Amino acid sequence: SLDWERRFDHMQQHSGQHLISAIAEQMFGFKTTSWELGRQRSVIELDTPLVTAEQVEDLEKSVNEKIRDRVPVTVRELAADDPEIETVKSRGLPDDHVGPVRVVDIKGIDSNLCCGTHVSNLSDLQVIKLLGVEKGKKNKTNLVFLAGNRVLKSIEQSHSTEKALTSLLKNGPGEHVEAVKRLQSSVKLLQKNNLNLLRDIAVLIARDFKSKPAPKQLFVLHRKEGDSEFMNIIANEIGTEETLLFLTVGDEKEAGLFLLAGPVEAVENLGPRVAELLGGKGAGKRGRFQGKAAKMSRRGEVQALLQEFISHQNPGA
């Protein structure tokens, strides 16, 4: 059973690669050293450290002209000792090769040893779109392309994205980029203001705790919107010489961050156990142990552990 849609797609990409490689060498002397048939896009590795935007534009224009010229693509077989093989592009035959040799010809453009499937006419490629270049390995350049139905699918996907953005941003496609830039600027400003407010709140929380006539030996706090800096500000403001602090930020029942701060010996003893209870990992030094927690729902168990520790430290309390 043959998946014709998949087969025809491979034919379009493969014949497209032959055409692009041949024209790139004719126009600029760029030799193809390898290529990759990807599921969504294909890549040709060119033996050159640089391909300019103008060269990409000229190459795309030329290959599409050949498609419009409806150039035939034919397949023929030659005997392995046929002298004509010397005139055909090839990486050479394996030493153990036997039997005829298959040659794919794009009339007047390219003649190449190849065992792959191809279209019978360049018009079957419909269109080729060069998506640009990427830096390759060892002074080579990767040329990214789409051929045939992949171009149509790409346009359809881009149009769907464009419609969605038009609906979300409430403006036309030509204004999408500027609208997103404005949104990014607004988000950065809001994040900055939010961080400043969190810092202020951290200071106020710490001062409120310290202002009480008989400060407790254990301070526990969770705040969903906080971050590591928020927790460290509280620890700095309260002081950790006498008070054991257990601070957490993030989702109350899923993942988040934690900080255990206090007397050095207590933190060294309790830190790994706190991390284990929270299903996370952490590290610490000089009276602070912090890390990521996967099970924030177990904060109550940690608090019970800390209270038990304090009770043993102060049996008469």
Side-chain angles (χ1 to χ4, degrees), residues 174-246:
E175 300 171 302
H176 285 173
V177 173
E178 287 303 317
V180 171
K181 286 181 179 178
R182 289 194 298 271
L183 283 173
Q184 287 177 326
S185 297
S186 297
V187 168
K188 286 180 181 178
L189 181 60
L190 288 171
Q191 288 175 333
K192 183 178 179 180
N193 291 338
N194 186 51
L195 284 174
N196 289 333
L197 289 171
L198 278 173
R199 293 187 187 105
D200 292 341
I201 291 171
V203 172
L204 291 172
I205 289 172
R207 289 178 180 175
D208 178 65
F209 177 78
K210 291 174 69 176
S211 68
K212 293 178 180 178
K216 298 178 182 178
Q217 291 179 294
L218 176 64
F219 179 80
V220 177
L221 177 74
H222 173 78
R223 191 175 187 91
K224 186 175 182 179
E225 303 83 6
D227 59 9
S228 293
E229 185 178 0
F230 172 79
M231 294 189 293
N232 279 291
I233 289 174
I234 293 177
N236 291 338
E237 290 291 325
I238 290 179
T240 59
E241 293 80 6
E242 298 178 359
T243 305
L244 190 60
L245 298 94
F246 173 53

Side-chain angles (χ1 to χ4, degrees), residues 75 171 179 243 264 300:
V75 176
N171 60 14
T243 305
V264 174

